[in-house]
Amino acid sequence: MTGRRGTTVLELVVALVITAAVAAAGASAFRQVVDRRVTVVAATRSTERAAALRATLREWIGTASLDTLLAPAGELHVVTNARTPAGTPGARVRLYIDHDPETPARGLCAAVRSPASEAAITQELDGTITALQVEYLDRATGQWMREPALLAGRPRAVRLALPGDDAQAPLWQLPLTLVVDSLPLSWGAS
């Protein structure tokens, strides 16, 4: 009696089915890894963009005097010695939200004007930010106020909230608060 050698067709089909199932599970796991990587990269880019913009705003406001009589609700006007698109110290920066469909900029924008020029350089800072909420900490009452005209004097701090429609930028959900006691304020300057 001779022993059986080789594989039957049934054994070959079973081996192919098992191999295909393992390959399908591996492909599915690999696809999930790739999808998660894409999500992480997008979130990282969004967070880096938000962190860079927060640093720019902190620099502009941190070396600034506040011009509150010129600032309507939802805007912040500062005169800063920090580096701006105008390229000169003493540049006047107007932070605002652009909703105008006639302009190419959207969202949070800055209109920067150098002291030697009447023309402003407008720059879109982040098109996903849909509102700019500016609050001032009243030195006398310790309350946050949105209208600078209601303050008893110079504010103790300024807080910016920048809500937007970008769900991947949770850094904007944190308000940017700057203590202005140490700033060279020209409070109420024109």
Side-chain angles (χ1 to χ4, degrees):
M1 182 165 158
T2 62
R4 194 179 105 206
R5 298 183 81 122
T7 59
T8 65
V9 173
L10 181 61
E11 291 171 334
L12 184 61
V13 169
V14 168
L16 288 174
V17 168
I18 291 172
T19 303
V22 169
S28 175
F30 183 72
R31 189 176 326 112
Q32 287 179 353
V33 168
V34 169
D35 289 346
R36 286 188 181 146
R37 182 183 180 283
V38 167
T39 302
V40 166
V41 167
T44 301
R45 285 185 182 147
S46 178
T47 302
E48 287 173 349
R49 189 181 78 235
L53 182 54
R54 286 176 70 93
T56 298
L57 294 176
R58 184 176 298 282
E59 183 180 349
W60 284 355
I61 298 168
T63 63
S65 60
L66 300 174
D67 288 334
T68 59
L69 293 180
L70 298 176
E75 291 189 9
L76 180 65
H77 296 203
V78 297
V79 177
T80 185
N81 289 319
R83 188 174 48 118
T84 64
T88 60
R92 183 176 299 275
V93 177
R94 172 183 164 235
L95 295 174
Y96 66 100
I97 301 296
D98 190 344
H99 296 291
D100 187 359
E102 302 295 320
T103 60
R106 295 284 178 271
L108 180 64
C109 295
V112 182
R113 187 178 51 157
S114 72
S117 173
E118 288 297 318
I121 300 168
T122 301
Q123 180 179 6
E124 178 181 309
L125 300 176
D126 192 323
T128 63
I129 296 174
T130 57
L132 171 61
Q133 300 166 354
V134 182
E135 296 178 308
Y136 305 92
L137 182 61
D138 188 22
R139 184 177 302 277
T141 65
Q143 299 292 318
W144 288 100
M145 298 189 178
R146 292 196 176 179
E147 293 294 327
L150 300 176
L151 296 172
R154 281 183 18 182
R156 185 174 301 248
V158 175
R159 179 168 62 190
L160 301 177
L162 303 161
D165 58 6
D166 188 359
Q168 294 180 342
L171 192 56
W172 283 132
Q173 296 172 6
L174 300 172
L176 178 63
T177 304
L178 297 164
V179 176
V180 296
D181 278 336
S182 60
L183 296 181
L185 293 177
S186 60
W187 185 250
S190 57

